[in-house]
Amino acid sequence: MHLVLHREIPEDENLRTQWNELVQQMERPGVFYTYEWALAVNRAYHASLTPWLLLAYDEGSLVGLGALATGGTPEKTFFLANSTADYCDFVSHPRRRSELVEIVLAELRKLKMPTLVLANLPADSGTSRALRASARNHGYLLLSRPAYLCAQVVLRSSGQRISVKQSVQRKQNVRRNLDAMEKTAPVTLSHLKSGDQVALVLPRFFKAHVARFLATGRISNLARPERRLFLADLTRLLSRSGWLTHSRLMVGDQPVAWNYGFRFAGSWFWYQPTFDSRWQRFSPGICLLAKIVEEACDTSEINLVDLGLGAESYKERIATAARETLHVTATTSTTVYAKEALRYHVAAAIQSVPSLEKWVRAALSKVSLGRQRFHEEGARGFVSLLWSRAKESLVGQSEVLFFEWPGGAFDGRRLPPSLTLQTLDLELLAVAAMHYVDEPETLTYLLRAAKRLRSNQSQGFALVTAEGIPAHFCWVSDFENFYMSELDHKLKAPSADSVLVFDCWTPAAVRGHGYYGMAISRVASQLQASGKRPWIFSAATNVSSVRAVEKTGFVHRFSMTRRRFLFMSKVVHSEPYMLTKPLANSSAAD
């Protein structure tokens, strides 16, 4: 057996055929090991990944391969598909796996690649056993730790099929939700297999997935263009072999849940599901999964429904088995080994205490934001920023100016034809997340906006371009009892019909076009037309904001100032009737 190294995935039909024949010989064939999968990853992530494809030949025949890659750290090698696949492995007949692993590790040592990280490696694969012996032979320290338990529904006998189908049909919550949706329109299960058909529905699927993640306080991987490009290319490649199955739960002609999945070598993969958040009360995602499992029970060539990565409770309720994956690090560096071992044990300890895990995640988020600010400001600017904030929190004052919309001459202000003001919803937030995915501060704002949408206590607006991209966001709430974190006070409205425009945001990529002024003036005009008295506020130190507010026609009416000295604070204001009593903790520093 000898190796041939490629620094890309060759677009070679003969290689594709031999590669996929080897996949079919594996102990548990999977679509994630195929040539098509590797090629799609290579095309979509070429800017951040460099493939290291090791092809093993014996007497001119391909007998094994390792689809590896390097990324940001050149000394670290990993599975090419590790961020996209539920399972990753070396590809060969099981009898030749030890020999393949041995020659791959030898080649990596020769190429001076000190660290090999293998994520999502199935624990039942022959690779995990082969690694233990080969690592010692080539001077690698091996750290193997549990990664995921992938839920599965096993259908290898007629008895299992009958049992699973009856169990699914007896689930009252599924039946109840399907019946409720049936009252709107007939509920059907639709499968798309043609690449052209799936390509047409992908944009809506992407938007629904990103929106659903925002609703749960997360950023979907589909917010990134590389991930969407990967799925679009995978659609074309897998559909040619008949392995793609894009499933939709339809209510009439409206899709309410999706699964971007595959049927391959007797397995049906629940790979990337989502649902329309507007139908959440009917649990359409679980209903879709139940329908798929029922159909699999009636399909003789399907013997396994694989629910993939993620320990969601809904999977556990329907699964009959589980497959464990490992995260393996093989390294020649004792320092790297010690760091990985320490990181694993510390993370395990933190995860055992949910409240501590939440605190650590919040702290890491702040550290990440601090690093970004350090990169933007430079060392001197960052230190200056920290000093000014520390000084302000102990001895300083924060002044907030309040402006009222007078109407009159400004009532008829119009937007340019290329812009519209729209009521904010999850779909608009999803579009924004995909468009501004490289702006961490905007993503933080969008997560906050999604949480506010769920609370249903404020109304959001977006200024949207002709291309459908939100360019500015703002919110409206009742003035009465509005809590101002800047002052640690609740406001008292000057009149019962007073409302407050707040939390305005223009993404960094589109600043400098006057969107802020256009949005708030248009919102104020609409509010006034509905019988409301619009107000807005701004920090006095935010000169550009104050100028934009005044330029639109808002008039400064009063101000409030919070003065701090050590750990005491006091709010002074020009109109005493504007405030209720300070909150109980108003003397504490922010």
Side-chain angles (χ1 to χ4, degrees):
M1 185 184 287
H2 70 279
L3 288 179
V4 176
L5 172 64
H6 293 270
R7 296 296 180 87
E8 62 179 0
I9 306 299
E11 300 200 23
D12 183 319
E13 185 63 23
N14 185 52
L15 174 60
R16 184 191 75 83
T17 301
Q18 295 181 67
W19 183 321
N20 290 337
E21 286 176 352
L22 280 179
V23 172
Q24 296 289 354
Q25 296 173 25
M26 294 180 70
E27 53 269 56
R28 297 280 293 272
V31 68
F32 312 108
Y33 310 144
T34 61
Y35 169 85
E36 286 81 358
W37 198 281
L39 183 60
V41 173
N42 182 42
R43 288 173 175 175
Y45 294 93
H46 64 88
S48 57
L49 296 179
T50 301
W52 284 60
L53 177 61
L54 297 165
L55 301 178
Y57 290 91
D58 188 1
E59 297 182 354
S61 298
L62 184 68
V63 295
L65 63 95
L68 305 176
T70 57
T73 305
E75 298 81 14
K76 183 183 293 185
T77 315
F78 45 84
F79 281 129
L80 175 66
N82 74 340
S83 65
T84 63
D86 289 351
Y87 306 110
C88 297
D89 205 344
F90 292 104
V91 176
S92 73
H93 192 284
R95 289 196 301 270
R96 307 208 68 162
R97 191 68 48 77
S98 295
E99 186 181 2
L100 175 63
V101 171
E102 180 80 18
I103 195 172
V104 166
L105 291 184
E107 184 71 9
L108 292 177
R109 283 305 305 265
K110 186 170 71 174
L111 294 171
K112 301 184 189 285
M113 304 298 290
T115 301
L116 174 65
V117 177
L118 304 178
N120 301 337
L121 176 67
D124 57 8
S125 166
T127 300
S128 59
R129 296 186 294 274
L131 279 169
R132 287 192 287 271
S134 295
R136 288 192 298 269
N137 295 341
H138 297 285
Y140 282 98
L141 299 168
L142 197 68
L143 177 65
S144 178
R145 58 178 177 81
Y148 297 98
L149 277 178
C150 299
Q152 299 182 328
V153 181
V154 179
L155 305 170
R156 292 195 174 91
S157 70
S158 59
Q160 289 173 330
R161 293 177 187 277
I162 294 171
S163 175
V164 168
K165 187 172 182 178
Q166 290 177 345
S167 175
V168 170
Q169 291 175 339
R170 284 196 300 263
K171 292 186 180 299
Q172 294 184 3
N173 62 324
V174 172
R175 187 72 264 159
R176 185 171 55 250
N177 285 318
L178 286 171
D179 289 343
M181 287 187 282
E182 284 275 3
K183 293 178 181 178
T184 301
V187 176
T188 56
L189 180 62
S190 165
H191 302 302
L192 302 179
K193 296 177 177 292
S194 159
D196 291 339
Q197 289 178 330
V198 176
L200 289 175
V201 303
L202 279 182
R204 188 167 182 182
F205 166 71
F206 292 156
K207 190 186 297 183
H209 196 280
V210 177
R212 177 60 193 150
F213 266 63
L214 286 170
T216 57
R218 299 172 293 166
I219 299 297
S220 162
N221 55 15
L222 288 176
R224 299 216 59 86
E226 306 95 314
R227 179 71 177 191
R228 300 195 298 275
L229 178 61
F230 165 69
L231 288 189
D233 202 31
L234 195 64
T235 295
R236 291 188 290 271
L237 293 169
L238 293 185
S239 62
R240 296 170 187 167
S241 302
W243 298 331
L244 180 69
T245 301
H246 186 86
S247 305
R248 300 181 299 166
L249 188 70
M250 309 292 292
V251 178
D253 60 357
Q254 181 178 357
V256 297
W258 300 258
N259 176 49
Y260 186 95
F262 324 101
R263 294 188 194 183
F264 182 86
S267 294
W268 194 336
F269 291 92
W270 177 258
Y271 176 65
Q272 190 136 24
T274 195
F275 62 86
D276 188 329
S277 294
R278 291 170 295 189
W279 291 76
Q280 180 175 354
R281 67 188 183 278
F282 300 115
S283 301
I286 297 175
C287 292
L288 172 61
L289 176 58
K291 286 277 193 180
I292 286 177
V293 171
E294 278 193 71
E295 184 172 320
C297 290
D298 295 331
T299 307
S300 59
E301 61 266 26
I302 299 297
N303 54 49
L304 183 76
V305 179
D306 195 312
L307 305 184
L309 301 181
E312 294 91 346
S313 60
Y314 76 89
K315 294 180 180 180
E316 297 173 2
R317 292 195 296 269
I318 206 167
T320 62
R323 190 182 190 195
E324 184 181 23
T325 66
L326 305 173
H327 188 283
V328 180
T329 301
T331 180
T332 59
S333 168
T334 55
T335 301
V336 171
Y337 178 85
K339 285 182 178 179
E340 288 295 320
L342 180 62
R343 183 181 292 114
Y344 165 59
H345 291 298
V346 169
I350 290 173
Q351 289 172 359
S352 65
V353 184
S355 58
L356 178 60
E357 182 181 13
K358 184 177 180 180
W359 181 87
V360 169
R361 287 185 183 277
L364 290 176
S365 177
K366 290 181 179 179
V367 169
S368 177
L369 184 59
R371 286 178 177 173
Q372 180 192 348
R373 290 286 176 85
F374 184 87
H375 178 74
E376 293 172 352
E377 303 287 342
R380 180 176 297 180
F382 185 68
V383 171
S384 176
L385 178 64
L386 289 180
W387 169 246
S388 64
R389 288 187 174 180
K391 183 172 67 174
E392 183 180 335
S393 66
L394 294 175
V395 181
Q397 65 179 32
S398 302
E399 183 182 10
V400 177
L401 309 181
F402 286 78
F403 303 82
E404 183 183 14
W405 179 257
F410 295 94
D411 287 350
R413 184 181 178 107
R414 295 181 179 274
L415 293 174
S418 60
L419 296 171
T420 57
L421 186 71
Q422 298 182 23
T423 301
L424 200 56
D425 58 20
L426 279 174
E427 286 202 352
L428 273 178
L429 292 181
V431 172
M434 290 187 279
H435 194 74
Y436 304 111
V437 67
D438 292 319
E439 294 188 18
E441 289 185 332
T442 295
L443 293 181
T444 299
Y445 179 90
L446 295 175
L447 289 171
R448 183 168 73 245
K451 183 177 181 180
R452 191 175 287 137
L453 276 178
R454 295 197 304 275
S455 72
N456 204 29
Q457 295 179 348
S458 307
Q459 185 176 17
F461 294 91
L463 196 63
V464 181
T465 67
E467 294 75 26
I469 308 300
H472 182 84
F473 306 88
C474 62
W475 291 84
V476 175
S477 181
D478 290 337
F479 200 122
E480 183 70 17
N481 287 326
F482 183 87
Y483 173 65
M484 292 200 67
S485 58
E486 299 91 339
L487 302 174
D488 199 12
H489 270 74
K490 284 185 178 179
L491 301 178
K492 183 172 179 59
S495 63
D497 55 356
S498 293
V499 291
L500 200 59
V501 180
F502 70 103
D503 204 9
C504 302
W505 181 262
T506 304
V510 291
R511 289 174 187 169
H513 299 284
Y515 293 145
Y516 173 47
M518 295 180 198
I520 62 175
S521 62
R522 187 60 181 166
V523 167
S525 294
Q526 288 189 186
L527 291 170
Q528 189 174 61
S530 66
K532 302 293 185 180
R533 290 182 61 189
W535 292 76
I536 196 169
F537 63 88
S538 175
T541 54
N542 192 342
V543 178
S544 59
S545 174
V546 171
R547 286 176 179 170
V549 167
E550 292 178 332
K551 186 177 180 180
T552 60
F554 278 91
V555 178
H556 179 216
R557 297 300 192 196
F558 67 94
S559 62
M560 298 181 187
T561 304
R562 183 183 182 195
R563 294 174 180 170
R564 289 175 295 279
F565 180 73
L566 298 181
F567 299 102
M568 302 295 292
S569 68
K570 179 182 180 182
V571 172
V572 295
H573 44 87
S574 57
E575 296 286 347
Y577 70 87
M578 293 300 300
L579 291 172
T580 62
K581 293 181 180 180
L583 299 180
N585 63 348
S586 62
S587 62
D590 279 341

